[in-house]
Amino acid sequence: MKSKDANDARERIIDASIELFSKRGFHATTTSEIAEAAGVTKGLIYYYFKSKEEILSHVVNSLLEDATSITMDFVQEGIIQMIKDGELDIEYDRMKFSNEESAIVFVNRLLEYYERILDYLLGNRLLLRVLMFESLKDSKHHNDLFRLLDLSRDIDSNPILKLISEADHDFTYSLDMELFKFFFSVMPLVTFAAYYDDLKERSMMSGDELRNSFLQSFRVVLSSLKSGNEISLRTKRSYDTE
C-alpha cells in the first residue's frame, strides 16, 4: 500500500471511529461497524490499531498534545516573555503589569489564545462528546476527560505551571486562582464545544453568532478580573482580609 493511501486509510478509520463513538457510544460500537464506515477491512484496522480502545487512546493523546502545545505558545508569548521584559510581575493573588498598556496587550493575547483553543476544540467536538459520555461511566476511558481538565497537579508535574514558576518564583498556584482556571482548565470550552451543534439548532443562531456570543461571555468574565494594570488571580472571599 502506498504511503498516501495508507495514511488516508488510517485517517478514515480514525474519523469513522470518532463519529460512531459519538453517535452510538464507545462500547456499543463494533470493529466491524468501524470497518464498514471507513470502507476498509477489519484486518486493516488491526494492522494500525490493536483494538478500538487503542484508537480512542490515540486520538485522546493527540488532543492533549495539541491543546498543551497551543497553551504553551500562549504562555511563552503572553506570560514568560512579558516577565522577562519587566512588563509583568506575578504576585500571590494578582498579575501586576508595568502599565495599563501592557495589561491591555496581555488581555488581547489572552483573548486570541482563548479563541484559538475554542476553534481547535470545536473542530474536535465529536471526540469531546465521546469523552463526556465516557466520563460518566465506569470504563477504561473514564478519566480521559479529566486528563484534559486536570489542574490539581503540583507545579513540578505540570509543565505549564512549572514554566511560569521558573520565570517568576513568586508564582504559586492555588485552587483559588480563578483566572488561571480559565487559562488552563477548559471545562467551559469543552462543554460548549460538545453541545455546539445542539445549541446551534435550539438557539436558531448561526455558527458564527453562537461562537461570538460565547467569546463575548469570556470577555465579560475577564473584564471583571481586570482593574487598571492589575488582573486578579483569585476571587475575594467574605473571610479574606485587606
Side-chain angles (χ1 to χ4, degrees), residues 37-234:
V40 301
T41 64
K42 284 179 64 176
L44 190 59
I45 291 179
Y46 291 124
Y47 175 78
Y48 292 113
F49 304 100
K50 295 178 181 178
S51 63
K52 66 178 184 180
E53 284 81 6
E54 188 172 283
I55 297 174
L56 184 54
S57 293
H58 168 77
V59 293
V60 169
N61 288 335
S62 295
L63 180 72
L64 290 168
E65 290 172 4
D66 290 344
T68 299
S69 178
I70 292 171
T71 301
M72 291 291 274
D73 287 345
F74 162 72
V75 170
Q76 286 282 7
E77 181 181 357
I79 297 180
I80 305 303
Q81 192 58 51
M82 295 190 80
I83 291 174
K84 291 180 178 179
D85 293 341
E87 296 180 284
L88 167 63
D89 180 36
I90 300 179
E91 299 183 353
Y92 168 69
D93 63 346
R94 68 194 62 220
M95 303 178 77
K96 184 175 290 186
F97 297 88
S98 57
N99 51 57
E100 189 165 0
E101 182 180 351
S102 294
I104 293 172
V105 168
F106 172 81
V107 167
N108 288 335
R109 286 174 178 168
L110 175 57
L111 292 171
E112 289 173 1
Y113 158 72
Y114 204 76
E115 186 172 356
R116 184 181 174 194
I117 200 78
L118 172 62
D119 288 339
Y120 176 73
L121 294 180
L122 283 174
N124 289 274
R125 58 187 180 275
L126 292 183
L127 174 58
L128 295 177
R129 290 179 73 95
V130 176
L131 297 185
M132 291 188 73
F133 295 152
E134 290 302 306
S135 71
L136 301 175
K137 302 175 183 177
D138 184 15
S139 72
K140 178 181 177 180
H141 296 280
H142 171 77
N143 290 320
D144 281 350
L145 180 64
F146 299 100
R147 289 172 58 197
L148 189 64
L149 305 176
D150 184 15
L151 284 185
S152 62
R153 296 175 295 174
D154 59 35
I155 286 176
D156 289 338
S157 61
N158 188 318
I160 296 170
L161 302 183
K162 185 176 181 180
L163 187 65
I164 300 173
S165 178
E166 289 174 348
D168 190 329
H169 298 299
D170 292 334
F171 171 70
T172 303
Y173 178 77
S174 72
L175 294 180
D176 288 340
M177 290 187 173
E178 298 300 326
L179 187 56
F180 274 87
K181 288 181 183 179
F182 271 96
F183 284 171
F184 311 122
S185 176
V186 292
M187 191 64 219
L189 289 159
V190 167
T191 305
F192 177 77
Y195 288 102
Y196 173 80
D197 293 313
D198 302 295
L199 289 169
K200 187 167 66 171
E201 181 179 350
R202 289 178 178 274
S203 67
M204 304 297 290
M205 298 170 70
S206 70
D208 286 342
E209 289 173 332
L210 189 60
R211 173 183 173 278
N212 291 338
S213 178
F214 182 81
L215 289 171
Q216 179 58 28
S217 297
F218 175 68
R219 293 187 184 97
V220 170
V221 172
L222 181 58
S223 66
S224 71
L225 300 174
K226 181 180 177 298
S227 177
N229 65 336
E230 294 184 354
I231 294 179
S232 175
L233 294 179
R234 66 189 181 103

